[in-house]
Amino acid sequence: MSSETALAAGQRARGVAPFLRSQMRNIAPFLTLIFLSGFFAFASPSFATLDNLGNILTQVSVTGIIAVGLTFVILCAEIDLSIASIANVTGIAVAYFTLQESYVNIANIPLPGAVAIILSILLCALLGLVNALGLTVIGIPSFIMTLAMMQIAAGISALLVRGQIAYKVPSLITTLGSGSIGGIPWLVIIAALMLLGGHLVLTYTRFGRYVYMVGGNREAAEYSGLNVKLILGAVMVISAVCSGIGGMLGVAHFGSAQQNEFDTYLLDSIAAVVVGGTSLFGGRGGIGNTIVGLFVLGVLNNGLDHVNIDSFLKILIRGLILLAALVINVYAQRLREKAAD
């Protein structure tokens, strides 16, 4: 090998290494998904089937709907801890405004289905607006503001059902949450459409570019004349509305509306976004990363059920994978800062 050839090879090697480091946040989740899929396919013959793929898609659909809005928030380097509570209160609200069977002991207010749906969406949008005002006008950090909203929404849920369980929701919500078309659940279709919509907004619209600008360098965004507070407020409302839609469809899918029904979706949604590779520091990632994160969690949860692993160990494994994703996230941010220096 000539010296020129060796030099060129060395330059290519030096060029590949920085690229791999810069893409670690995107590559690691994808490799994790491939490894988990291969492992569970080998460990359980019932895992790698079309029917089970349908099960996985259905299982992650509600999380996916909620995670769409959360992706916008995290891209702005903020957090929303109220998503699960807002999903819960919206699902309860749509049932509260629907005529229940006589055996349901809830003093509710029956309204036409369309009105019940609109009022429920307005409720979650209002809660998101309160989050937005607390963050942008008062200046409360999003962690604290949404932590307070988590309790407020939980309190509203408790007041509406008072420990009881409601079962009926408007027929449209029942169809979208538990029905199917051509063998494909409507819930999966709605989740796919919302994920696609979120991707299109973030990738091809001015608002999407503004979200990345705010998350990437908020000070520079302000100097460029961008209304940063308006963008932050908008993503908080988007997050609440996505959570509300997920809550309504989730209630129809589960067949009941009750307190604390969506508590686990807070960790699941955050994990989907972060495990997928969206940066907690803002400005990096997107819906594509969230989709990969959803599949990682879906394959993991479903696969662990197929190999009959201890349920307590399942929780531990999920926590370890989330921790690994956080470590990669932070490490990738440090590499990015070093490269900028």
Side-chain angles (χ1 to χ4, degrees):
M1 179 183 296
S2 66
S3 59
E4 292 82 0
T5 304
L7 179 60
Q11 289 174 340
R12 285 194 297 270
R14 286 192 295 272
V16 170
F19 173 78
L20 291 176
R21 287 196 298 267
S22 66
Q23 294 300 314
M24 181 190 304
R25 186 185 290 116
N26 298 320
I27 296 172
F30 190 70
L31 293 178
T32 302
L33 177 59
I34 293 175
F35 170 77
L36 290 175
S37 300
F39 172 78
F40 289 124
F42 175 78
S44 173
S46 61
F47 176 81
T49 63
L50 286 177
D51 286 342
N52 193 49
L53 175 60
N55 292 335
I56 294 173
L57 291 174
T58 303
Q59 290 164 4
V60 302
S61 290
V62 173
T63 304
I65 292 171
I66 297 173
V68 171
L70 185 63
T71 302
F72 280 76
V73 174
I74 292 180
L75 281 173
C76 284
E78 300 291 347
I79 192 64
D80 187 352
L81 299 180
S82 64
I83 48 176
S85 292
I86 290 178
N88 204 46
V89 73
T90 308
I92 286 176
V94 78
Y96 182 82
F97 293 126
T98 304
L99 180 63
Q100 300 293 318
E101 301 291 348
S102 57
Y103 57 80
V104 176
N105 187 26
I106 297 176
N108 65 327
I109 305 174
L111 296 172
V115 177
I117 295 171
I118 292 172
L119 286 178
S120 299
I121 292 178
L122 288 176
L123 172 61
C124 64
L126 177 61
L127 296 178
L129 182 60
V130 174
N131 276 337
L133 293 175
L135 172 64
T136 61
V137 177
I138 303 176
I140 304 173
S142 59
F143 181 91
I144 303 300
M145 183 64 231
T146 58
L147 182 64
M149 179 54 67
M150 179 173 68
Q151 295 298 313
I152 293 170
I156 297 173
S157 297
L159 286 173
L160 291 179
V161 294
R162 295 182 179 275
Q164 303 299 311
I165 301 176
Y167 298 96
K168 294 193 67 176
V169 295
S171 58
L172 175 61
I173 299 299
T174 300
T175 299
L176 296 180
S178 58
S180 62
I181 180 171
I184 303 175
W186 275 110
L187 184 61
V188 174
I189 295 173
I190 297 299
L193 290 175
M194 290 190 66
L195 287 163
L196 176 61
H199 173 71
L200 294 176
V201 169
L202 285 172
T203 306
Y204 298 107
T205 69
R206 183 177 298 178
F207 176 75
R209 291 193 295 272
Y210 290 166
V211 168
Y212 281 103
M213 289 173 63
V214 171
N217 192 327
R218 190 168 300 183
E219 186 176 350
E222 290 177 343
Y223 284 142
S224 66
L226 184 63
N227 190 335
V228 171
K229 289 185 177 181
L230 181 61
I231 300 300
L232 292 176
V235 299
M236 299 306 291
V237 174
I238 290 171
S239 178
V241 171
C242 289
S243 298
I245 294 172
M248 288 192 294
L249 298 182
V251 162
H253 179 67
F254 300 138
S256 65
Q258 55 188 304
Q259 292 174 236
N260 308 319
E261 190 167 23
F262 291 87
D263 284 359
T264 60
Y265 282 82
L266 172 59
L267 179 58
D268 286 348
S269 300
I270 294 175
V273 177
V274 176
V275 168
T278 295
S279 174
L280 287 167
F281 303 94
R284 293 290 186 277
I287 297 297
N289 297 83
T290 298
I291 293 173
V292 174
L294 285 169
F295 273 106
V296 169
L297 293 179
V299 167
L300 176 64
N301 292 333
N302 182 274
L304 290 175
D305 289 336
H306 277 262
V307 297
N308 297 319
I309 199 167
D310 187 288
S311 59
F312 297 101
L313 182 59
K314 177 180 174 181
I315 297 172
L316 173 61
I317 293 174
R318 288 179 58 193
L320 291 174
I321 288 182
L322 177 57
L323 175 60
L326 292 172
V327 171
I328 292 172
N329 209 302
V330 172
Y331 183 63
Q333 176 66 19
R334 289 177 179 174
L335 289 177
R336 177 186 167 195
E337 292 173 351
K338 287 182 179 179
D341 293 340

